[in-house]
Amino acid sequence: MTLTELKYIVAVARAKHFGHAAEACFVAQPTLSVAIKKLEDELGVVLFERGGAEISVTPLGAQIVAQAERVLEQTAAIKELAKQNKDPLSGPLRLGVIYTIAPYLLPPLVKTMIASTPQMPLVLQENFTVKLLEMLRQGELDAAIMALPLPEHGMSLQALYDEPFVVAMPSQHPWAARSRIPAEDLKSETMLLLGNGHCFRDQVLEVCPEMSRYSAPGNGMQRTFEGSSLETIRHMVASGIGLTVLPRASVQDMEGRDGMLQFRYFENPQPTRRVVLVWRKSFTRKAAIDAVCEAVAQCRLPGVTPVAKSEAQ
């Protein structure tokens, strides 16, 4: 049994496809398949049910894969322990950020990190929350910035800031005369949302649950369109197609002085999201985590409220 074989079975269990797992492991599919068959023969068990378009994990295979994940995490911990006598701020830090935070936080964050810890360059990865958590578990990332709530993860977490949501509308929209927008009023408007997979989409649907029922006759939204990015949606709103909800840090000018868009806060209670930094409990470069938290606090994103360390989870 080798660590490589354990990595292969974890990859197949997650991808449920030998070809996709091989791509994720950067090996040819026959190489991966032969290695897994060798491990099954050695253990005398069947780990995966083959046949059909999707591979399924046997009940015993699921237990073995879970143990393999723990072994791989502990292996990564051994490597981290070997670095304890070195400078924790020396060497790259692999940082993941979700799509709806990265464009607004990363420019000032990278600039701040270069000034404060030039010996620790950031290796950045933008992705969905679920993918970033998977990469953390596999040791492909050291830490990730995302928004609560998160699926069960079993990792360390430090709250960074709270961010309110705002309504974006074309400048000529009748609501531009209002100072605040009731969340329930959104159900009468044409809304533009992010597509499935974006956690911000789910958070917006929590603000106005009627949006998720827009297809039901006589209920919810008149029409809803989905976009691939907040910036694409912002331009669609400016063209008069509809309204959207944005995280406050994505709006530099709440006064809408560009003439194309107007932005308004929600009526109280204002919907918000808490942005956090997540890392494996086995990750030993605590000084690097502290450096990122400090750098985020120095970024002073518009409209967000920093969370005191005493509120860390």
Side-chain angles (χ1 to χ4, degrees), residues 52-308:
E54 188 174 278
I55 301 298
S56 61
V57 187
T58 65
L60 179 57
Q63 297 180 50
I64 293 174
V65 167
Q67 184 64 37
E69 289 177 327
R70 290 190 286 271
V71 170
L72 292 173
E73 182 175 342
Q74 290 302 312
T75 301
I78 292 173
K79 294 179 180 179
E80 292 295 337
L81 287 171
K83 299 177 182 177
Q84 282 186 344
N85 291 329
K86 300 180 181 179
D87 181 3
L89 295 178
S90 179
L93 182 77
R94 300 168 297 173
L95 181 68
V97 190
I98 60 173
Y99 289 119
T100 57
I101 293 176
Y104 319 109
L105 175 61
L106 286 183
L109 178 62
V110 171
K111 184 177 181 180
T112 302
M113 293 292 290
I114 289 174
S116 61
T117 52
Q119 72 277 28
M120 188 178 73
L122 296 179
V123 179
L124 302 171
Q125 168 73 235
E126 289 183 69
N127 220 309
F128 298 110
T129 296
V130 172
K131 180 60 177 178
L132 293 179
L133 286 173
E134 179 182 331
M135 295 177 74
L136 279 170
R137 293 189 190 99
Q138 292 181 324
E140 297 174 16
L141 288 176
D142 299 318
I145 296 174
M146 50 191 75
L148 297 180
L150 297 175
E152 184 63 33
H153 54 84
M155 298 188 189
S156 297
L157 181 153
Q158 169 66 54
L160 298 174
Y161 57 84
D162 292 326
E163 179 178 28
F165 300 162
V166 298
V167 180
M169 65 194 77
S171 293
Q172 67 275 17
H173 195 280
W175 287 4
R178 299 186 182 184
S179 59
R180 300 263 176 167
I181 305 299
E184 63 182 15
D185 286 2
L186 295 180
K187 66 181 181 181
S188 64
E189 294 293 315
T190 298
M191 297 295 298
L192 289 84
L193 303 176
L194 287 170
N196 287 321
H198 290 276
C199 62
F200 186 69
R201 169 195 172 90
D202 299 331
Q203 293 158 359
V204 171
L205 290 178
E206 288 182 10
V207 173
C208 189
E210 290 84 356
M211 292 185 194
S212 61
R213 301 194 297 270
Y214 69 90
S215 60
N219 287 313
M221 312 301 298
Q222 293 178 348
R223 296 186 302 277
T224 299
F225 298 96
E226 294 183 357
S228 59
S229 74
L230 289 179
E231 294 311 304
T232 299
I233 289 175
R234 190 195 301 261
H235 288 295
M236 294 174 70
V237 172
S239 69
I241 294 176
L243 278 64
T244 195
V245 177
L246 297 174
R248 176 62 180 86
S250 71
V251 180
Q252 290 294 321
D253 179 18
M254 281 293 291
E255 301 301 321
R257 282 183 281 264
D258 65 359
M260 299 293 292
L261 292 170
Q262 290 290 314
F263 305 97
R264 295 292 183 271
Y265 284 108
F266 283 91
E267 283 190 349
N268 291 327
Q270 290 187 48
T272 64
R273 65 176 178 180
R274 172 156 290 189
V275 175
V276 299
L277 182 66
V278 181
W279 66 95
R280 294 185 309 281
K281 292 180 178 179
S282 60
F283 186 62
T284 59
R285 296 172 63 188
K286 185 60 170 62
I289 297 297
D290 291 341
V292 173
C293 293
E294 179 61 28
V296 171
Q298 293 179 28
C299 289
R300 304 188 185 280
L301 295 177
V304 309
T305 304
V307 177

Side-chain angles (χ1 to χ4, degrees), residues 18-69:
F18 278 89
H20 296 163
E23 291 176 5
C25 294
F26 302 103
V27 297
Q29 181 174 337
T31 300
L32 179 137
S33 298
V34 169
I36 291 178
K37 185 63 170 65
K38 174 179 172 292
L39 180 60
E40 288 181 322
D41 291 342
E42 178 183 342
L43 297 177
V45 300
V46 176
L47 300 174
F48 303 104
E49 295 288 352
R50 296 152 173 90
E54 188 174 278
I55 301 298
S56 61
V57 187
T58 65
L60 179 57
Q63 297 180 50
I64 293 174
V65 167
Q67 184 64 37
E69 289 177 327

